[in-house]
Amino acid sequence: MYIFRLDTSPRKISPFGVFTSYQVNVDANGQNIVGDAANECSISVDPTDGNKMAIGWRQFNDVNSNFRQGGWGYTTDGGVMWTFPGVLQDNVFRSDPVTNSDETGTFFYLSLLQTFCENMYRSTNGGQSWLELQPDGLAEGGDKQWFTIDKTGGPGHGFQYQASDGINCSGSGVQFQRSTDGGITWQAPILIPNEPTDGTLDVDSNGNLFIGGEGFSPFYCVRSSNAQFGDQTPIFDQATQVNMGGELSGGGINPAGLDGMLFLAIDHSGGPTNDNIYMLASVVPPGRSTTDVMFVRSTDGGSTFSTPVKVNDDPVDPNKWHWFGTFSVAPNGRLDAVWYDTRNAANNTDSQLFYSYSTDTGVTWAPNVPVSSAFNPFEGYPNQNKIGDYITMVSDETGGNVAYSATFNFNPNRGQHEEDVYYVRVFPGGQGATPTPTPTVSPTATPTPTPSATVTPTVTPTPTATATPTATPTATVRPTPTPRSIPTPRGRPTPRPRP
């Protein structure tokens, strides 16, 4: 079903230097939909054909309402033309979209319902259509969920792992779940020690699972080395406290949302940097109220991490924001990072997407490059006044594919710009010759070992597979959702935006 609106305008194509941003959330005729809002976007790229990509986002058909649905778009030409077929499920509240691809190019889309339960969807045609893998809510989970896929050749190949924060579908606490059948059924949740939340997951070449997040104050990186064995109850056998140079924050430049999440990614290059663990986040440094993009790495399997490095290379200014930082690791080991940046704004809030990269495991970073025009992040709010909680990117050998939200389109009916989803490809050498990496801190700084935190024993229920649901016959026919009550939010030491 195609979305149809009476009010349309030309879709936005926004060039900036050698970079071009293409609007993704367009109608059936490729036009901008006037009066909607789209934010919090997650991108997947087919590793077998980089021209095929899909982006999921929160779709607000009416900015005067807080009701949102699971939007998505796909491209087959490398991100120039996008098709927005509709939403995952008509008139069903959905939020916090997270997408991923396995090594064969099968896409997955994890979506949060209003009950704080989830669904996993699968696409085998590059995101053109999606199959719901279980009836509404039976993927369990909770708010700020994220997932990863084991793409190694080990015993956990194809397993999916997800983590969510303390507002969950069932039980309480920061929870972990595993699927051993490609996202169809999910085993009973297990509490994660030290509560790493608002973060992401990845798997190293030995099948070890790592989860990074902020444990309600310090950051942690926790490991499970046996989650890859389907006949064993996963346990977390290592937890390391990590100094990220500050704390995650919410509000300020993104009033009802986060100013950034923690992103963890592992090097899968197969070379000398293989299995390095990297973490990046926009954090508030001590004594500040605005954010910098900070980065750390581990070269010893997460036992210790380096001292934090500031990726944004402008002089420290307590009035400037560097927010929504995210990054990815290319197959050749290059690191690509993007974030929103106000360094060029006289009002300290108009933001541009900035890019930097590193070819030496993040010891040094290339001079920062703006890759988009400036936009006002305070315009175009739906009823919920934020531009989402994150943006995402996926890197390949020569560059990075970025999904982000911006307010380039002007809505004459409201007299302001509106939130839309954009795709841009970033790459080294965007200002001409390939820049020489410039250290942002002393490259000879010796990483300070951080003692592994003592893992608090946690009662871990023996996982039992959820009964296998009857497969939906086609990607367009889905079961009627069963009404559920909304669970009472659990207390948290530090309030976070929901959801």
Side-chain angles (χ1 to χ4, degrees):
M1 179 181 295
Y2 280 88
I3 285 185
F4 177 78
R5 296 288 184 275
L6 291 177
D7 295 333
T8 62
S9 62
R11 72 155 178 159
K12 188 68 173 181
I13 299 175
S14 180
F16 188 88
V18 297
F19 304 101
T20 302
S21 295
Y22 298 94
Q23 187 179 351
V24 176
N25 59 316
V26 293
D27 71 3
N29 297 315
Q31 299 293 297
N32 172 56
I33 303 166
V34 175
D36 71 342
N39 61 37
E40 207 161 272
C41 33
S42 176
I43 189 170
S44 290
V45 181
D46 184 342
T48 70
D49 183 353
N51 288 316
K52 297 178 180 179
M53 293 178 273
I55 296 176
W57 66 83
R58 305 191 314 164
Q59 173 65 28
F60 296 80
N61 288 347
D62 183 353
V63 294
N64 296 309
S65 169
N66 194 38
F67 186 78
R68 80 294 298 259
Q69 300 172 85
W72 95 89
Y74 69 89
T75 182
T76 59
D77 65 359
V80 175
M81 300 299 297
W82 289 84
T83 300
F84 172 19
V87 295
L88 291 177
Q89 205 170 9
D90 284 330
N91 298 315
V92 174
F93 182 104
R94 292 188 175 276
S95 192
D96 295 39
V98 184
T99 68
N100 206 333
S101 172
D102 68 13
E103 74 278 6
T104 69
T106 298
F107 292 169
F108 295 87
Y109 187 136
L110 187 61
S111 176
L112 181 70
L113 292 156
Q114 194 166 17
T115 58
F116 294 109
C117 299
E118 304 165 2
N119 282 116
M120 180 65 79
Y121 287 77
R122 181 181 66 213
S123 174
T124 57
N125 57 7
Q128 297 184 42
S129 61
W130 296 89
L131 179 72
E132 187 176 26
L133 296 183
Q134 60 281 125
D136 285 355
L138 293 190
E140 301 286 347
D143 195 18
K144 290 294 167 287
Q145 86 287 358
W146 212 270
F147 81 102
T148 192
I149 304 170
D150 185 332
K151 304 172 188 176
T152 70
H157 177 259
F159 286 11
Q160 295 187 8
Y161 308 112
Q162 66 162 303
S164 57
D165 75 0
I167 307 296
N168 296 300
C169 179
S170 60
S172 61
V174 177
Q175 296 182 350
F176 164 79
Q177 288 176 264
R178 175 179 67 181
S179 172
T180 61
D181 57 8
I184 297 174
T185 61
W186 292 86
Q187 296 173 344
I190 296 170
L191 293 180
I192 307 174
N194 302 106
E195 300 187 313
T197 187
D198 297 338
T200 67
L201 317 80
D202 205 353
V203 179
D204 72 9
S205 61
N206 295 313
N208 298 309
L209 169 70
F210 292 86
I211 304 174
E214 187 182 46
F216 295 122
S217 54
F219 288 89
Y220 282 92
C221 176
V222 302
R223 179 189 70 189
S224 175
S225 56
N226 78 328
Q228 61 187 303
F229 302 111
D231 60 347
Q232 297 183 23
T233 299
I235 61 172
F236 294 93
D237 52 3
Q238 177 177 284
T240 304
Q241 186 173 327
V242 181
N243 174 18
M244 291 297 302
E247 297 182 353
L248 295 181
S249 66
I253 198 167
N254 196 34
L258 297 175
D259 298 321
M261 288 178 47
L262 182 284
F263 287 87
L264 178 150
I266 295 176
D267 186 309
H268 298 115
S269 63
T273 62
N274 193 61
D275 285 339
N276 279 2
I277 303 169
Y278 305 115
M279 293 168 63
L280 178 145
S282 291
V283 300
V284 178
R288 289 261 301 278
S289 60
T290 56
T291 48
D292 283 329
V293 180
M294 304 298 288
F295 170 88
V296 299
R297 71 186 173 281
S298 173
T299 60
D300 57 8
S303 295
T304 63
F305 283 80
S306 65
T307 54
V309 171
K310 184 166 75 76
V311 178
N312 52 285
D313 60 7
D314 53 328
V316 173
D317 185 336
N319 299 308
K320 300 299 182 182
W321 292 87
H322 313 86
W323 55 298
F324 271 21
T326 189
F327 84 113
S328 60
V329 186
N332 57 13
R334 187 191 68 253
L335 306 177
D336 294 312
V338 293
W339 63 93
Y340 293 160
D341 199 304
T342 70
R343 72 179 70 179
N344 295 326
N347 61 9
N348 297 320
T349 55
D350 284 355
S351 300
Q352 291 175 277
L353 189 70
F354 265 68
Y355 166 64
S356 184
Y357 70 93
S358 173
T359 57
D360 59 6
T361 72
V363 174
T364 63
W365 289 84
N368 301 173
V369 177
V371 299
S372 81
S373 300
F375 64 92
N376 183 346
F378 296 140
E379 292 190 346
Y381 289 145
N383 181 260
Q384 186 184 49
N385 58 339
K386 65 178 182 179
I387 197 167
D389 287 316
Y390 51 83
I391 59 176
T392 57
M393 71 182 307
V394 174
S395 295
D396 54 38
E397 294 284 350
T398 59
N401 303 287
V402 182
Y404 73 106
S405 294
T407 59
F408 298 139
N409 277 316
F410 184 74
N411 180 350
N413 299 326
R414 301 188 76 194
Q416 60 174 251
H417 296 80
E418 58 186 22
E419 292 181 355
D420 293 301
V421 172
Y422 291 88
Y423 165 83
V424 64
R425 181 168 176 82
V426 297
F427 48 88
Q431 288 180 319
T434 302
T436 302
T438 302
T440 54
V441 294
S442 174
T444 58
T446 302
T448 302
T450 305
S452 295
T454 301
V455 178
T456 304
T458 305
V459 177
T460 55
T462 301
T464 56
T466 306
T468 303
T470 302
T472 308
T474 68
T476 57
V477 179
R478 302 175 177 93
T480 301
T482 302
R484 297 175 175 87
S485 59
I486 299 176
T488 302
R490 283 87 177 177
R492 310 162 58 100
T494 304
R496 295 291 190 198
R498 303 282 129 225

